[in-house]
Amino acid sequence: MISFELGVDDLADTRFALSPLSEAMLSLRVLQDPGLTALHLPWRRAVLAQLRVRERSGALDVDLLMSLVAQRRTLPDFLTQRPETFAPAFDDELARVRATPPDVVLRDLVAAHAPDPLPEPLRAIAAGGGERGPAVARLRDAVCDLLRQYWDVALAPHWPRMRLLLEADMTYRARQLAKGGARLLFADVHPNLRWHDGVLYVSRVLGEYHAAAAGRGLLLVPSVFAHKPAPPVGSDEPPLLFYPSRGAGTLWTAADGGPPGAAPSDALVALIGPPRARLLALLEEPLPTAELARRLRVTPSAVSQHLRVLHGSGLLNRARDGRSVLYRRSALGDRLLASPER
C-alpha cells in the first residue's frame, strides 16, 4: 500500500500532464503480456506483425526492446520520468533520457529486474568492469534510438487520437474535482484508489510507504496503456500517479467496427435522424469535433454541421479548452436520450 497525504494547498495544486515516452513504455508491457487488458488486442496484433517484419530485416532489435520490461512487468525509472511540462514532445522526453548518468541507468535497470538477473541483452553491461560506464552509456543511447523507432511504428500514427482521448479524460476529471472535490475526483478512477480523510491510498502496488505532499501538489498522468494506477516507487519523489484513462478501448474498437456508446432508441433516431442520435449518444463526456469525427468515421466538417444544430436546439453544451471546443450533452439532451426501454 502506498499513500499520499494531501493538504488543501496540494489539492489546489493538483495538475495533469501527458507523457508520450511513458505511454510507449507502458505499451511494451501490453505487447509482452496480453492478459493485462483485452482492450488493446487489435493494436497488439497489428504492432507485433510490424515489429516481426522489421526484426527479420535487421532494422529493429526486438529482444533488446522487450528486455526493458522485467518479468514482473516493472519498468526502469529513467524511462518513465516525471513530465516537466503539460505535454512534452516524445523527442524532448527522449533527450532527458539521453542525459541520464550511466550509474543511474544501471541502477534503475537492475532495480526493475530484481530479484531476477538482467536478461541476456542487458547482461553484458553489468559485468563490464572498468569499462562499465562507457558500456552503459552506449546501451542507453542504443535504447533511445530503439525507442524512437518503436514510437514511429507503434504509436506515432495513433498519438493524435490518443492525445484527444487523454485530454478528454483530463477535462472530465477536472470537472469532477470542481463539482465534488477530491472525493468525487478519485471516486471512479480505479478500484485500487481510495480517498479518505485527506489521504489517497493506492493498493496492489509494489512498495509500501506513506508520503506527505507538503506543498508539492499532485501530478496526475492519464494513460491509454496503464491497466492500474502506478505511483512512484520511492517516497522521496513528488506525488505522481499514472492512471488508466477513460475510453481507452474506443481507440481500437472504433477502427474495427464503429463507435461505442449507448444505442439511441428508434424513437430518437426517427425524431432527429441517425447521425445526430449517434452524436448525442456519444457525448456523455466532453469531446472535441476531431475525436467525434474519428469515432463516427466521418469528416470533421460533417460532424460540425450536426453539432451546430444540436447545440442550437439546446441539446448540447460547449466550452473552450485551449484551442479546442468541447461538446457535451445538456440536461435536456440527457432527458431526450433516455427512453422507456432503459
Side-chain angles (χ1 to χ4, degrees):
M1 174 82 71
I2 290 175
S3 57
F4 297 122
E5 185 176 339
L6 303 172
V8 174
D9 290 342
D10 298 307
L11 289 173
D13 196 25
T14 295
R15 291 156 292 136
F16 292 87
L18 302 174
S19 177
L21 177 58
S22 296
E23 200 71 84
M25 294 303 301
L26 290 167
S27 75
L28 288 176
R29 298 201 304 191
V30 175
L31 287 184
Q32 278 203 6
D33 185 358
L36 288 176
T37 172
L39 294 177
H40 304 305
L41 289 179
W43 170 87
R44 183 178 183 273
R45 284 193 295 268
V47 169
L48 283 177
Q50 295 179 66
L51 293 183
R52 290 189 192 101
V53 170
R54 291 173 180 259
E55 182 180 33
R56 286 195 294 267
S57 68
L60 198 104
D61 188 342
V62 174
D63 287 341
L64 177 57
L65 184 67
M66 293 304 185
S67 73
L68 299 175
V69 182
Q71 290 186 21
R72 56 178 184 163
R73 307 298 173 239
T74 47
L75 300 169
D77 286 349
F78 78 98
L79 292 174
T80 55
Q81 299 184 32
R82 181 186 183 90
E84 290 188 322
T85 60
F86 167 70
F90 181 80
D91 285 330
D92 291 340
E93 291 197 292
L94 214 54
R96 291 178 62 198
V97 173
R98 289 185 187 276
T100 306
D103 60 323
V104 175
V105 172
L106 182 57
R107 179 201 68 193
D108 290 353
L109 287 171
V110 171
H113 287 275
D116 300 310
L118 290 174
E120 185 60 37
L122 303 175
R123 197 170 299 160
I125 64 169
E131 295 298 317
R132 181 181 296 177
V136 175
R138 288 192 296 271
L139 174 74
R140 176 200 61 203
D141 294 342
V143 165
C144 287
D145 293 340
L146 186 59
L147 287 172
R148 191 66 181 79
Q149 294 178 64
Y150 173 70
W151 173 262
D152 289 340
V153 172
L155 295 176
H158 309 294
W159 181 244
R161 302 197 309 273
M162 291 171 63
R163 177 165 174 166
L164 283 172
L165 185 142
L166 294 170
E167 290 185 354
D169 179 273
M170 294 177 186
T171 302
Y172 169 80
R173 300 291 169 202
R175 189 173 72 250
Q176 294 292 89
L177 180 63
K179 287 169 55 180
R183 187 180 302 278
L184 192 58
L185 168 63
F186 298 118
D188 63 347
V189 173
H190 194 273
N192 291 2
L193 282 187
R194 181 171 62 92
W195 172 260
H196 181 68
D197 286 346
V199 179
L200 180 64
Y201 297 92
V202 191
S203 61
R204 299 185 180 181
V205 291
L206 294 174
E208 183 173 351
Y209 63 81
H210 175 82
R216 295 177 294 175
L218 173 66
L219 184 62
L220 298 172
V221 185
S223 167
V224 166
F225 289 101
H227 67 287
K228 64 179 182 178
V233 175
S235 60
D236 56 332
E237 299 182 46
L240 164 71
L241 192 68
F242 291 93
Y243 68 90
S245 173
R246 286 161 50 90
T250 67
L251 284 167
W252 325 125
T253 55
D256 289 342
S265 67
D266 292 342
L268 179 60
V269 171
L271 179 65
I272 64 176
R276 291 171 189 168
R278 294 294 293 278
L279 268 175
L280 202 61
L282 281 172
L283 284 168
E284 181 181 5
E285 59 181 309
L287 292 171
T289 303
E291 174 63 10
L292 290 165
R294 182 191 69 79
R295 295 193 187 187
L296 291 169
R297 305 179 75 179
V298 297
T299 64
S301 60
V303 170
S304 295
Q305 296 174 25
H306 295 305
L307 289 174
R308 282 196 295 270
V309 173
L310 292 171
H311 180 261
S313 303
L315 301 178
L316 300 180
N317 296 321
R318 66 184 180 189
R320 181 164 291 281
D321 181 43
R323 292 178 294 177
S324 300
V325 176
L326 300 177
Y327 292 87
R328 186 178 184 273
R329 279 199 313 265
S330 65
L332 177 60
D334 287 338
R335 291 196 296 271
L336 186 61
L337 186 67
S339 70
E341 296 95 35
R342 284 191 278 272

